[in-house]
């Protein structure tokens, strides 16, 4: 299901960020369900939920509906790479930039997490990349 994984080099002394690419033929859950799960991996510095602090936009890229989101806060990274719940490592000043492309064959997910400085630096390149997304028939 994980098609690929990339690193965004760190900037201004910050660590690198990770971009994971997933594809689920046929189904991968609704856009909203996936976004809500990802938002649940973040909290505001005061511990409150990130709702109300999310940037979101919908695009049409080569006839494909795409949702792009951005959120910042404390990342609640799973302590175990295969666990969806359980212990977490709290990483403050992190960000999520992600896109979900709803293709006729199933959704493509592009999820980048990392230090906010690094994500912010690479955000324009990520959006340019997302706008180039296409599916060969």
């Amino acid at each position: 299901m994980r098609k690929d994984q990339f690193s965004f080099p760190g900037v201004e002394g910050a660590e690198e960020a990770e971009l994971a690419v997933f594809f689920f033929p046929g189904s991968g859950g609704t856009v909203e369900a996936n976004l809500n799960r990802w938002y649940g991996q973040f909290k505001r510095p005061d511990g409150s939920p990130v709702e109300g602090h999310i940037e979101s936009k919908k695009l049409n890229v080569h006839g494909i509906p795409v949702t792009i989101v951005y959120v910042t806060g404390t990342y609640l990274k799973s302590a175990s790479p295969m666990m969806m719940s359980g212990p977490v490592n709290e990483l403050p000043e992190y960000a999520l930039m992600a896109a979900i492309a709803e293709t006729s064959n199933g959704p493509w997910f592009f999820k980048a997490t990392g230090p906010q400085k690094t994500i912010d630096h690479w955000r324009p390149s990520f959006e340019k990349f997302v706008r180039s997304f296409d599916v060969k028939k």
Side-chain angles (χ1 to χ4, degrees):
M1 300 206 217
R2 184 178 284 230
K3 289 296 193 181
D4 221 327
Q5 182 172 307
F6 304 91
S7 294
F8 291 114
V11 296
E12 300 177 28
E15 296 290 320
E16 66 182 22
E18 177 185 278
L19 169 65
V21 180
F22 301 91
F23 174 64
F24 296 91
S27 177
T30 67
V31 170
E32 287 305 314
N34 281 283
L35 292 177
N36 287 332
R37 182 171 42 82
W38 294 348
Y39 300 153
Q41 295 172 333
F42 279 81
K43 66 180 181 179
R44 301 295 299 156
D46 65 3
S48 65
V50 295
E51 285 73 21
H53 300 277
I54 299 163
E55 293 180 35
S56 178
K57 60 183 161 186
K58 295 187 181 288
L59 307 172
N60 185 306
V61 178
H62 300 111
I64 300 166
V66 177
T67 303
I68 299 177
V69 298
Y70 172 82
V71 68
T72 63
T74 299
Y75 180 41
L76 307 174
K77 183 177 182 179
S78 175
S80 173
M82 299 306 288
M83 299 294 288
M84 295 297 282
S85 62
V88 296
N89 296 318
E90 294 194 16
L91 304 172
E93 298 180 19
Y94 259 56
L96 161 77
M97 66 178 173
I100 300 175
E102 300 173 73
T103 75
S104 60
N105 296 329
W108 283 84
F109 300 91
F110 304 89
K111 180 186 178 198
T113 53
Q116 184 176 351
K117 286 181 184 178
T118 301
I119 293 290
D120 287 351
H121 176 82
W122 293 105
R123 194 171 171 194
S125 297
F126 177 78
E127 289 203 18
K128 185 176 179 182
F129 164 71
V130 169
R131 290 176 185 274
S132 74
F133 184 78
D134 201 359
V135 176
K136 302 292 181 199
K137 306 242 186 224

